[in-house]
Amino acid sequence: MKSYRAELIRFVNRSSAAMILLCVGATLFSMSNAGPQHQTPLWGFRQMSILTATLLMGRAAVLASGDFSSGTIRAWLISRPNRAEVFSGKLAASLSFAVITSAATSLSCYALSGTMGAVPSVGAMLVAAGQLAFAAGVLTFFGHAAGVLTRSIPVALTLTLVWILPAEKGLQGHSGGLDAWLPGNVTQDITRNQLQHGMTPLGAALHAALPFIVLDAVALALFLRRDVNS
C-alpha cells in the first residue's frame, strides 16, 4: 500500500493533468466529427476509446521503464525491500490513473455531448464508459509489462505500439479463429460494442485481458529474480 500511495502522489503533476486534458480533447474532437459522418456523438466517443486506451498504455510503458532508465528504481527498492510490493504498487497506480482518466473523459464528454448532437441515454453512456475503462486497464497491463521486461523507454514504446497498431492489423482477416485471439483487436471490438459473431461479453473480456495479465505475471517473476543492474 505504501508503494501505491507514493506512486499516486507522484502522479499529481502537470504532465498527468495534460494527459487527461489530451484524452478529453481528442474524444470531444472525435464526437464533434461524428455529425458530418451522419453518426451520433456516442459513436464518436466509441471510435476514440481504443486510441485513448493506447495513450494510457504508452504512459504506463514509459513510467515502468523510466524508473530503470533513470535509476530511480534503486531508491524504490531500498525504501520498499519487498520487490512484489514495488511492482504491484506501480501497476495498481497506473491502473488507477487509467480508470480516473477514463471516468474524467466520459463525464466531460457526456456533459458536452448535447452541443454536438443527440445526448446518449445514461445507460448507453455508462456502458461505453465502462468499456473505455476496461480497455484502458487492459492496455495498461500491457504497457506496464513491456516497461518492466524491456527496461527501456524507446523499446517499450516501440513494442507496445507496433503490436497494438500495425502488427495486429496486419494479422487480422486471415483467420476468424486468429482474430478472436488477438487481444488488441478484441479490445477494440469491446470499445465499439461490436463483438465477433458467437463471442459473448465474458469471452471477449477474457480474450482481451488474459494474455496481458499473463505477460505481467511473467514480468513480475523476472522482476523478483533479476538484479536491477542486469
Side-chain angles (χ1 to χ4, degrees):
M1 282 299 293
K2 290 183 179 179
S3 292
Y4 173 66
R5 288 196 297 268
E7 284 288 348
L8 285 182
I9 293 172
R10 187 182 177 193
F11 286 175
V12 181
N13 53 44
R14 282 181 286 187
S15 64
S16 295
M19 172 63 78
I20 294 174
L21 289 174
L22 173 62
C23 292
V24 172
T27 305
L28 287 173
F29 179 76
S30 178
M31 292 170 70
S32 69
N33 280 337
Q37 300 179 63
H38 308 290
Q39 298 289 347
T40 64
L42 183 60
W43 179 87
F45 179 91
R46 288 188 176 283
Q47 294 300 306
M48 188 62 201
S49 290
I50 192 64
L51 297 178
T52 299
T54 301
L55 288 173
L56 293 167
M57 173 190 69
R59 181 182 184 279
V62 168
L63 289 175
S65 57
D67 283 329
F68 292 98
S69 299
S70 65
T72 53
I73 190 66
R74 296 179 181 83
W76 284 103
L77 292 175
I78 291 171
S79 62
R80 304 283 182 266
N82 188 331
R83 280 175 167 250
E85 181 187 347
V86 172
F87 182 95
S88 60
K90 290 180 176 296
L91 174 58
S94 288
L95 288 171
S96 296
F97 183 81
V99 171
I100 290 169
T101 302
S102 300
T105 300
S106 300
L107 287 171
S108 301
C109 292
Y110 181 71
L112 295 171
S113 60
T115 64
M116 293 169 282
V119 178
S121 68
V122 173
M125 191 67 208
L126 284 175
V127 170
Q131 290 164 339
L132 168 59
F134 174 80
V138 164
L139 295 192
T140 292
F141 269 106
F142 184 28
H144 181 265
V148 174
L149 289 171
T150 64
R151 305 185 176 200
S152 165
I153 291 175
V155 176
L157 278 177
T158 300
L159 175 65
T160 51
L161 293 176
V162 165
W163 176 256
I164 290 298
L165 298 177
E168 285 205 9
K169 294 299 181 186
L171 292 171
Q172 284 179 31
H174 298 290
S175 164
L178 176 61
D179 288 353
W181 283 98
L182 293 172
N185 178 43
V186 177
T187 302
Q188 184 177 47
D189 290 343
I190 291 172
T191 61
R192 293 182 176 178
N193 206 30
Q194 297 174 343
L195 300 184
Q196 297 178 42
H197 179 69
M199 183 173 286
T200 64
L202 178 59
L206 289 174
H207 278 72
L210 192 57
F212 296 143
I213 292 175
V214 170
L215 189 63
D216 247 302
V218 172
L220 173 60
L222 292 176
F223 181 70
L224 294 176
R225 295 177 63 87
R226 289 169 60 186
D227 183 80
V228 294
N229 296 311
S230 63

